[in-house]
Amino acid sequence: MMERISLKVNIGGVELKNPVMPASGTFGVESADYLDCRKLGAILPKSFTLNPQQGNPPPRVVETSCGMLNAVGIQNKGLEYFINVTLPFFETFDTPVIASVSAYSEEDFKTIIRELNKTKTALIELNISCPNLKEGGKAFGTSAEETYKIVKAAKSVSEIPLITKLSPNVTDITEIALAAESAGSDAVSLINTFLGMAIDINTMRPKLGNITGGLSGPAIKPLALRMVWQVAQKVKIPVIGIGGIASGADAIEFLLAGATAVQIGTSSFAEPNIMERIISEIEDYMREKNISDIHEIIGGLKIG
Amino acid sequence: MMERISLKVNIGGVELKNPVMPASGTFGVESADYLDCRKLGAILPKSFTLNPQQGNPPPRVVETSCGMLNAVGIQNKGLEYFINVTLPFFETFDTPVIASVSAYSEEDFKTIIRELNKTKTALIELNISCPNLKEGGKAFGTSAEETYKIVKAAKSVSEIPLITKLSPNVTDITEIALAAESAGSDAVSLINTFLGMAIDINTMRPKLGNITGGLSGPAIKPLALRMVWQVAQKVKIPVIGIGGIASGADAIEFLLAGATAVQIGTSSFAEPNIMERIISEIEDYMREKNISDIHEIIGGLKIG
Amino acid sequence: MRSGVVLANESIGGGYHHMIVNCPKIAEEIKDGQIVHIRVKDGYEPLLRRPFSVYLYDKKAGTIEFVYAIKGVGTEMMKSFKPGDEIDLLGPTGKSYTLKEGAKKIVLLGRGVGIASIISLGASAADKGIQVEAILSGKSPEKVFGGKALQSPTTTVNEVYDIDGTSDVENVMKILRRTQEEGGIDQIFVCGSKRLGQLAYDFANEHNIEGYVSLEERMACGIGVCHVCVCKTTKGYQTVCKDGPVFPLAEVYG
Amino acid sequence: MRSGVVLANESIGGGYHHMIVNCPKIAEEIKDGQIVHIRVKDGYEPLLRRPFSVYLYDKKAGTIEFVYAIKGVGTEMMKSFKPGDEIDLLGPTGKSYTLKEGAKKIVLLGRGVGIASIISLGASAADKGIQVEAILSGKSPEKVFGGKALQSPTTTVNEVYDIDGTSDVENVMKILRRTQEEGGIDQIFVCGSKRLGQLAYDFANEHNIEGYVSLEERMACGIGVCHVCVCKTTKGYQTVCKDGPVFPLAEVYG
Ligand SMILES: Cc1cc2nc3c(=O)[nH]c(=O)nc-3n(C[C@H](O)[C@H](O)[C@H](O)COP(=O)(O)OP(=O)(O)OC[C@H]3O[C@@H](n4cnc5c(N)ncnc54)[C@H](O)[C@@H]3O)c2cc1C
Ligand SMILES: Cc1cc2nc3c(=O)[nH]c(=O)nc-3n(C[C@H](O)[C@H](O)[C@H](O)COP(=O)(O)OP(=O)(O)OC[C@H]3O[C@@H](n4cnc5c(N)ncnc54)[C@H](O)[C@@H]3O)c2cc1C
Ligand SMILES: Cc1cc2nc3c(=O)[nH]c(=O)nc-3n(C[C@H](O)[C@H](O)[C@H](O)COP(=O)(O)O)c2cc1C
Ligand SMILES: Cc1cc2nc3c(=O)[nH]c(=O)nc-3n(C[C@H](O)[C@H](O)[C@H](O)COP(=O)(O)O)c2cc1C
Ligand code: FES
Ligand code: FES
């Protein structure tokens, strides 16, 4: 009945076959055993830093009502490992790879990006919003000026289109998004985790080694969706929606709110191949609604 | 075995027999049919404004994962009704009554407080943090300066101790709390709801008549707890913890984080007498841990 | 909150389940058209109670009955309630339908699962010897229920369907006209359809008949404190859980 | 994810349940000491899978077995799994215990529910004719299980308890010494207690024995991508779900 449907979207000049990709920190080479990386819109492995880092002391996870707190603190093997091991592994799939980069200074960001320029990395996501680092990430992402400065610096050296990942722990996320945009970011992704906490009443101690951690999962979906909607109205660059997405219907809410693509994090833990299901649920919805191009959904929220 | 345990706490000079009270907007005269108001630490009916107001268009509620969005918009019968009907009704119980006041200007706040001065209202909670009002509430509560100004103005006329209710939709809630404190607030309560949104993918429209609404319930507990902990470390005035509390254990987490009292909102909807259960669960915990005074719990979080 | 014990909970076709619950306290207090809020599960998923009309009650036996449509997560869970299960009920809440002193003939108009709201009223009216003209509307015969519970010498049940066109406004209006001509209607009660509500209002207005409608809105507290369940009325926003669910037709459609 | 069908799920006392699941794919791949992550319920409450050691497996029958302790919300829900229920399993994941080429005698040290981790290894060793000295420790006899599953001519099972003091460090050390004296121990495997792990490490170190410990940490992904389940080792933070749960004793206690 209907012509072939198209789920293709474009982020910073890179065409994705569909708008569904993993959220950083919830996907790695091991994930490839549980789903078909060829089916994803993009591949986005965990954030890495210039040098390997150990991350925070355990416990690093607490389950909460319809969500979880994590305080991993970006344990990773550093830039070199990413370039020599992670990237080559994922380049075997016919899917753009996005490098999620974390750093503690403009200089580190620049150093990393210069090295990535030499690779086939399709897009770079600047993680300036991790709540689990004492310095760096947090400071940048919660101030519009800092965001502008860091994105500007990154952009000045990058030959790869940039996505800036925003923190939800701010009064007005649109301000930060606009700062990233005016500094030259090619897209924004939001949101990173919400800073939270849990206490063990028996030991009277924090349940996380790091005291606080980042809340993710279905619990935060309404907040993430609101922020995506607010930002999408303000910026002209593509918005990637993140936060609690666990079904095709959830993903469609974000697309309607104005997201050009979505990232799936926590819900992959319970269901490692959930992204494949989400893609096919989006297709089902489009067929049912007789929508042939996903762009008819993006920003399609009707108000009034 | 153990001497009688004491749950008594003091907020702004007012002694409460225990630290458990309702959160504004989730409790009213009808609640008295479902629980014993004499058992509560305080009674706190819905926020009222100077003049009656109709609130937002329906639908006003959406259930979300472990939470709910509301966009009531402070539908209420105004100051006069509060003084003539609500207050006299609740004064028949041997429990301090807290008046939750919402207003759109310093002048309105002052007018209301001057009238309350003539009543037996034990405490006033300044609701400068409702996310469901286009003007007023939101603006005050998300800026430290505005918070300072409004609390200062309120304090200048109030003969009743003031609690300032804080918004979580800010970058640094401790700044706002400190502003309230230095303006003379006798306590702070936090948090009000988080601004969120939900979309009906079939109609492609927002699920709330007001487009956005406030997220409450267990979903947000980790975020509220973190904020209470942060604020309790910074201010000297008592902190009242609010957000997703649904059990004695949850309440104890907030007390350990530094709250002197707690408010229970959304979870009363499923269980209208949940506050009585929470009080007795706190008592059980104290007995089990051999704690005779609740002040041994308040701020008792051990770190390091 | 009251504890009830499930006595029966079975599919009756059309996507409906019929549940009988032993709960003497609610049975004692319940009035026609009032609602009861069922907690479908402990914990936070789902977080809120689900409101239902009490379809029938037996004050002597201490039982109340529901007919519910499977809609989503909550009613899905209710399907699995088994005889013997204890369930958590809040209510009854809200305004009931009231039969006018000296009423001789009333009309009940129910559509779909909204029929559940008017059946006990029909039974009460019949008990008092009041003539009842019931119009039960639905997509198809499976979607209509309650006819049997209304059986009485003074009651006429008209089932009307979309599939054969009998549920059309014109046909329903024809039944109303006939009923009015056969002897004046004293009151009209309607639930389950905006279209039927409007029709009832227009008709009641024309013939100066007292009329009531029972409304639905998503709820949170169920007891009138939170103001999320409001509907627009001539008196401003009123809560469906406490000021309603039953409203004068004129307040809603006037 | 693999689908399994519950064959049996019964209390075995001591707060433990024993569950047998048909899942040929996992049974085929599973190695001693590996773990399987059970999704106790669809939806978000609870959000995460629960990790369990595979207690026993039968590759021919296509079955795997678990012994689990009721701890909280997830294991409470697992109690209600009934024969015939389909459950969602992820795994096996993680490093297994490995029997050294030419090993003649091994020691198994398990405490509490940690015993579940070492039983299949004991069975595998016995199958290969390796002598097994098993020390199964618990608060009281009800808290110890698996002895029967270890029965074999080449296996000695020592059950030790807190209530009679036999689980004391000194007594366990005595058993270890005796075993060592009766002919050298080639490998030691331990699970379920930090104290026993430390003891095993000290003993293994002293006698230059290869030793392994299986650890527990709260998990999220279960496959090695999220890094929440780390434990501190001499090599830095390693993931229990992928780099573990089995680690050389020296990496953990060294
Ligand atoms: C006063 C009153 C009386 C009622 N009486 C009955 C009755 O006797 N029998 C019966 O079957 N149902 C009755 N209902 C409706 C019933 O409460 C809902 O069908 C039920 O709450 C759905 O729960 P769920 O978890 O299955 O659906 P959800 O998963 O919550 O929702 C499923 C879908 O239905 C929609 N929906 C659910 N409830 C409502 C509602 N109240 N208004 C608008 N949309 C809704 C949701 O938006 C969603 O699209 C009554 C409702 C009210 C307010
Ligand atoms: C590698 C590995 C193998 C395991 N093998 C088994 C097994 O064979 N049999 C068995 O019964 N259990 C085993 N466990 C433990 C099991 O995973 C937990 O008991 C289970 O997840 C508890 O789930 P719950 O929802 O019932 O408890 P929850 O409600 O999640 O928690 C209840 C209480 O137990 C604590 N708790 C739960 N799990 C852990 C944990 N992993 N570490 C520390 N504290 C915890 C919680 O903090 C809380 O206080 C294993 C764990 C790991 C990591
Ligand atoms: C265990 C864990 C680790 C994460 N690590 C990173 C990270 O390294 N970099 C990053 O930008 N975001 C990280 N995040 C945040 C996610 O990418 C995502 O923004 C967030 O979890 C919200 O999405 P979700 O609700 O779908 O999980 C992490 C999240 C989790 C749960
Ligand atoms: C339906 C509803 C109405 C509310 N109305 C008010 C209000 O009028 N004034 C106010 O200060 N807070 C109001 N709140 C916020 C609550 O008082 C509380 O701060 C918030 O819900 C978080 O607590 P909870 O998770 O326990 O519900 C309302 C919350 C809900 C759910
Ligand atoms: S549901 Fe709360 S007022 Fe009706
Ligand atoms: S649970 Fe994710 S790495 Fe182990």
Side-chain angles (χ1 to χ4, degrees):
Chain A
M1 283 175 56
M2 214 170 73
E3 74 228 83
R4 249 186 98 72
I5 59 176
S6 164
L7 273 75
K8 282 192 198 122
V9 297
N10 189 301
I11 305 280
V14 179
E15 185 179 279
L16 314 182
K17 45 185 163 298
N18 65 62
V20 179
M21 64 182 85
S24 179
T26 64
F27 187 89
V29 295
E30 297 84 355
S31 308
D33 293 344
Y34 296 88
L35 51 62
D36 183 351
C37 291
R38 281 172 192 82
K39 296 223 174 119
L40 300 178
I43 288 167
L44 201 164
K46 168 134 195 105
S47 298
F48 58 88
T49 45
L50 184 54
N51 299 308
Q53 67 183 33
Q54 278 290 314
N56 291 322
R60 292 181 176 178
V61 65
V62 179
E63 218 177 16
T64 67
S65 295
C66 295
M68 60 174 271
L69 290 164
N70 90 80
V72 173
I74 319 221
Q75 173 172 353
N76 79 97
K77 295 182 175 153
L79 169 68
E80 226 183 283
Y81 187 89
F82 180 81
I83 290 178
N84 295 331
V85 180
T86 313
L87 202 50
F89 175 83
F90 283 121
E91 276 170 2
T92 62
F93 305 101
D94 178 31
T95 301
V97 179
I98 304 179
S100 171
V101 174
S102 243
Y104 296 90
S105 66
E106 281 181 30
E107 264 331 300
D108 281 6
F109 270 115
K110 285 184 176 172
T111 311
I112 294 172
I113 292 170
R114 283 197 194 95
E115 292 305 314
L116 291 176
N117 282 340
K118 303 173 193 160
T119 68
K120 286 192 213 138
T121 303
L123 287 153
I124 292 174
E125 185 176 71
L126 301 172
N127 175 13
I128 57 165
S129 47
C130 177
N132 293 324
L133 303 172
K134 287 268 131 54
E135 331 129 89
K138 193 182 172 189
F140 298 135
T142 54
S143 137
E145 286 113 87
E146 288 296 321
T147 300
Y148 181 86
K149 272 172 57 189
I150 204 77
V151 175
K152 191 92 186 168
K155 191 69 191 173
S156 73
V157 298
S158 189
E159 294 161 16
I160 300 167
L162 297 181
I163 303 164
T164 307
K165 184 162 178 181
L166 307 181
S167 167
N169 300 301
V170 296
T171 307
D172 183 357
I173 196 164
T174 67
E175 248 182 45
I176 319 278
L178 287 168
E181 179 177 46
S182 62
S185 194
D186 300 280
V188 284
S189 59
L190 59 147
I191 44 78
N192 210 316
T193 53
F194 286 82
L195 193 64
M197 183 173 182
I199 295 173
D200 183 328
I201 67 166
N202 284 316
T203 62
M204 296 186 167
R205 290 182 181 281
K207 284 191 178 174
L208 290 169
N210 190 46
I211 307 177
T212 59
L215 186 65
S216 64
I220 60 162
K221 198 195 76 177
L223 311 184
L225 184 66
R226 180 264 298 179
M227 292 184 181
V228 164
W229 176 69
Q230 289 178 322
V231 167
Q233 288 170 286
K234 289 278 179 79
V235 301
K236 289 183 194 69
I237 51 179
V239 173
I240 302 175
I242 322 169
I245 299 173
S247 67
D250 291 343
I252 293 161
E253 283 192 72
F254 280 83
L255 298 173
L256 287 168
T260 297
V262 292
Q263 294 182 2
I264 317 297
T266 303
S267 56
S268 285
F269 296 158
E271 212 180 317
N273 62 350
I274 196 170
M275 286 184 276
E276 294 189 43
R277 170 162 74 84
I278 288 173
I279 295 164
S280 74
E281 286 173 357
I282 296 175
E283 287 170 347
D284 292 346
Y285 173 86
M286 291 173 68
R287 279 203 196 87
E288 204 174 287
K289 291 247 166 198
N290 236 325
I291 294 170
S292 59
D293 188 327
I294 193 133
H295 290 91
E296 295 172 46
I297 301 177
I298 294 168
L301 181 68
K302 294 177 203 157
I303 283 179
Chain B
M1 283 174 52
M2 213 170 77
E3 76 228 81
R4 245 186 101 71
I5 59 178
S6 163
L7 273 75
K8 282 191 199 124
V9 297
N10 188 301
I11 305 280
V14 178
E15 185 179 277
L16 315 184
K17 47 186 161 296
N18 66 61
V20 179
M21 65 183 83
S24 179
T26 65
F27 187 89
V29 295
E30 297 84 355
S31 307
D33 294 342
Y34 297 89
L35 50 63
D36 183 352
C37 291
R38 281 173 191 80
K39 296 222 174 120
L40 301 179
I43 287 166
L44 202 164
K46 168 134 196 105
S47 299
F48 58 87
T49 45
L50 183 54
N51 299 307
Q53 68 183 31
Q54 277 290 315
N56 291 321
R60 291 181 174 179
V61 65
V62 178
E63 218 178 16
T64 66
S65 295
C66 294
M68 60 173 271
L69 290 165
N70 91 79
V72 173
I74 319 220
Q75 174 173 352
N76 79 97
K77 294 183 175 155
L79 169 67
E80 224 184 283
Y81 188 88
F82 179 81
I83 290 180
N84 295 331
V85 181
T86 313
L87 201 52
F89 176 83
F90 282 121
E91 275 171 2
T92 62
F93 306 101
D94 177 31
T95 301
V97 178
I98 305 180
S100 170
V101 175
S102 242
Y104 296 90
S105 67
E106 280 180 30
E107 264 330 300
D108 281 5
F109 270 115
K110 284 183 174 175
T111 310
I112 294 172
I113 291 171
R114 284 198 194 95
E115 293 304 315
L116 291 175
N117 282 341
K118 304 172 194 163
T119 69
K120 287 193 211 137
T121 303
L123 287 153
I124 292 173
E125 184 174 73
L126 300 172
N127 176 13
I128 57 165
S129 47
C130 176
N132 293 324
L133 303 172
K134 286 270 130 57
E135 330 129 89
K138 193 183 173 187
F140 298 135
T142 54
S143 139
E145 286 115 89
E146 289 294 322
T147 299
Y148 181 86
K149 271 172 58 188
I150 204 78
V151 175
K152 190 92 185 168
K155 190 69 192 172
S156 73
V157 298
S158 190
E159 295 161 16
I160 300 167
L162 296 181
I163 304 164
T164 306
K165 183 161 178 182
L166 307 181
S167 168
N169 300 301
V170 297
T171 307
D172 182 358
I173 195 164
T174 67
E175 246 181 48
I176 318 278
L178 287 167
E181 179 176 47
S182 62
S185 196
D186 299 279
V188 285
S189 59
L190 58 149
I191 44 75
N192 210 315
T193 52
F194 286 83
L195 193 63
M197 184 173 180
I199 295 173
D200 182 327
I201 66 166
N202 284 315
T203 62
M204 297 186 166
R205 291 183 180 280
K207 284 190 178 175
L208 290 170
N210 191 47
I211 306 177
T212 59
L215 186 66
S216 64
I220 60 162
K221 198 195 76 178
L223 311 184
L225 184 67
R226 179 266 298 180
M227 292 184 181
V228 164
W229 176 68
Q230 290 178 322
V231 167
Q233 287 171 287
K234 290 278 178 79
V235 300
K236 290 184 193 69
I237 52 179
V239 173
I240 303 175
I242 324 168
I245 300 174
S247 67
D250 290 343
I252 292 161
E253 283 192 72
F254 279 83
L255 297 173
L256 287 168
T260 296
V262 292
Q263 293 181 3
I264 317 298
T266 303
S267 56
S268 286
F269 295 158
E271 213 179 315
N273 61 351
I274 195 169
M275 286 185 277
E276 294 188 42
R277 170 161 74 84
I278 288 173
I279 294 164
S280 74
E281 285 172 358
I282 295 174
E283 286 170 347
D284 293 346
Y285 173 84
M286 289 173 69
R287 281 205 194 84
E288 205 175 285
K289 290 245 165 199
N290 235 326
I291 293 170
S292 60
D293 189 326
I294 193 132
H295 290 91
E296 294 172 47
I297 302 177
I298 295 168
L301 181 68
K302 295 177 202 156
I303 283 180
Chain C
M1 291 74 55
R2 273 97 185 245
S3 173
V5 175
V6 175
L7 300 178
N9 186 29
E10 275 158 25
S11 167
I12 53 166
Y16 299 134
H17 271 59
H18 175 212
M19 178 163 71
I20 310 178
V21 178
N22 185 267
C23 185
K25 282 191 186 153
I26 293 182
E28 193 188 315
E29 293 176 20
I30 188 83
K31 286 183 249 149
D32 301 316
Q34 281 190 308
I35 49 181
V36 164
H37 307 263
I38 300 182
R39 189 157 189 202
V40 296
K41 195 176 148 288
D42 275 3
Y44 318 128
E45 277 283 271
L47 188 72
L48 301 171
R49 289 172 182 268
R50 299 302 193 246
F52 294 92
S53 303
V54 172
Y55 164 62
L56 284 169
Y57 52 82
D58 184 332
K59 291 185 184 280
K60 278 193 218 115
T63 56
I64 54 176
E65 304 183 28
F66 302 93
V67 172
Y68 61 94
I70 309 306
K71 275 287 185 79
V73 54
T75 45
E76 252 331 308
M77 287 176 176
M78 283 170 58
K79 261 167 62 176
S80 66
F81 290 174
K82 287 177 304 293
D85 285 358
E86 224 177 85
I87 58 173
D88 177 353
L89 306 171
L90 173 71
T93 76
K95 297 266 184 307
S96 63
Y97 296 116
T98 330
L99 290 167
K100 194 157 79 176
E101 200 61 45
K104 296 221 173 68
K105 178 145 87 177
I106 64 167
V107 167
L108 307 178
L109 260 169
R111 180 166 165 93
V113 81
I115 294 170
S117 164
I118 52 165
I119 299 298
S120 79
L121 175 68
S124 298
D127 276 353
K128 294 189 179 159
I130 298 173
Q131 271 195 46
V132 177
E133 187 81 24
I135 307 175
L136 309 181
S137 167
K139 275 200 191 123
S140 56
E142 315 88 69
K143 290 287 183 186
V144 173
F145 58 93
K148 262 194 207 146
L150 285 180
Q151 267 176 9
S152 125
T154 55
T155 299
T156 314
V157 175
N158 310 270
E159 295 203 357
V160 298
Y161 314 120
D162 299 359
I163 45 159
D164 63 5
T166 50
S167 65
D168 284 1
V169 172
E170 299 79 51
N171 190 48
V172 173
M173 198 50 114
K174 209 155 64 184
I175 302 173
L176 289 177
R177 289 229 178 78
R178 182 193 25 86
T179 311
Q180 174 70 359
E181 281 155 18
E182 286 168 10
I185 299 168
D186 293 299
Q187 287 175 298
I188 295 189
F189 302 93
V190 56
C191 182
S193 150
K194 277 194 187 144
R195 201 180 44 112
L196 282 186
Q198 184 66 51
L199 180 150
Y201 172 66
D202 294 342
F203 183 83
N205 223 12
E206 189 188 325
H207 298 88
N208 211 1
I209 302 167
E210 200 179 296
Y212 295 89
V213 60
S214 180
L215 299 181
E216 283 195 16
E217 269 299 336
R218 303 229 85 180
M219 297 186 173
C221 73
I223 62 172
V225 303
C226 76
H227 294 92
V228 305
C229 67
V230 297
C231 61
K232 196 162 195 132
T233 71
T234 52
K235 294 183 178 171
Y237 289 131
Q238 293 193 67
T239 61
V240 169
C241 70
K242 191 189 165 216
D243 303 325
V246 175
F247 294 93
L249 276 171
E251 279 185 21
V252 175
Y253 294 97
Chain D
M1 292 74 56
R2 273 97 185 242
S3 174
V5 175
V6 176
L7 300 178
N9 185 30
E10 275 158 25
S11 167
I12 55 168
Y16 300 135
H17 271 61
H18 175 210
M19 178 164 70
I20 310 178
V21 178
N22 184 269
C23 185
K25 282 191 186 155
I26 294 182
E28 191 189 317
E29 293 175 21
I30 189 83
K31 286 183 250 153
D32 302 316
Q34 282 190 308
I35 49 181
V36 165
H37 307 263
I38 300 182
R39 188 158 188 200
V40 296
K41 194 175 149 291
D42 275 3
Y44 318 129
E45 278 283 273
L47 189 71
L48 302 171
R49 289 171 182 269
R50 301 301 193 245
F52 294 92
S53 304
V54 172
Y55 165 61
L56 284 169
Y57 52 81
D58 184 332
K59 290 185 184 282
K60 276 191 219 117
T63 57
I64 54 177
E65 303 183 27
F66 303 94
V67 172
Y68 61 94
I70 309 305
K71 276 286 186 79
V73 52
T75 45
E76 254 327 311
M77 287 178 176
M78 282 170 58
K79 262 167 60 175
S80 66
F81 288 174
K82 289 176 305 293
D85 284 358
E86 223 177 87
I87 59 174
D88 177 353
L89 307 169
L90 174 70
T93 75
K95 297 266 184 306
S96 63
Y97 297 117
T98 330
L99 291 167
K100 194 156 80 175
E101 200 61 45
K104 294 221 175 65
K105 178 143 85 176
I106 65 168
V107 166
L108 306 180
L109 260 169
R111 179 164 166 93
V113 81
I115 293 170
S117 165
I118 53 165
I119 298 299
S120 80
L121 175 68
S124 298
D127 276 353
K128 294 190 178 156
I130 299 172
Q131 272 195 45
V132 177
E133 189 82 23
I135 307 175
L136 309 182
S137 167
K139 277 202 189 118
S140 57
E142 315 86 69
K143 290 285 183 189
V144 173
F145 59 92
K148 261 194 207 147
L150 285 178
Q151 267 175 8
S152 123
T154 55
T155 299
T156 314
V157 175
N158 308 270
E159 294 204 359
V160 298
Y161 313 121
D162 300 357
I163 45 161
D164 63 6
T166 49
S167 65
D168 282 2
V169 173
E170 299 78 52
N171 190 50
V172 172
M173 198 50 114
K174 209 155 62 182
I175 301 173
L176 289 177
R177 289 229 178 75
R178 177 187 36 79
T179 311
Q180 174 70 0
E181 281 154 19
E182 285 168 9
I185 299 169
D186 293 300
Q187 288 176 297
I188 295 189
F189 302 92
V190 56
C191 183
S193 151
K194 277 193 187 147
R195 202 179 43 111
L196 282 185
Q198 184 66 51
L199 181 152
Y201 172 67
D202 293 343
F203 183 83
N205 224 12
E206 188 188 327
H207 297 89
N208 212 359
I209 300 168
E210 198 178 298
Y212 295 90
V213 58
S214 180
L215 299 180
E216 281 195 17
E217 270 298 337
R218 302 229 84 179
M219 297 185 173
C221 74
I223 62 172
V225 303
C226 76
H227 294 93
V228 304
C229 67
V230 297
C231 59
K232 197 162 195 130
T233 72
T234 53
K235 294 185 177 171
Y237 290 131
Q238 292 192 68
T239 61
V240 169
C241 71
K242 192 190 164 212
D243 302 326
V246 176
F247 294 95
L249 276 171
E251 280 186 21
V252 175
Y253 294 96

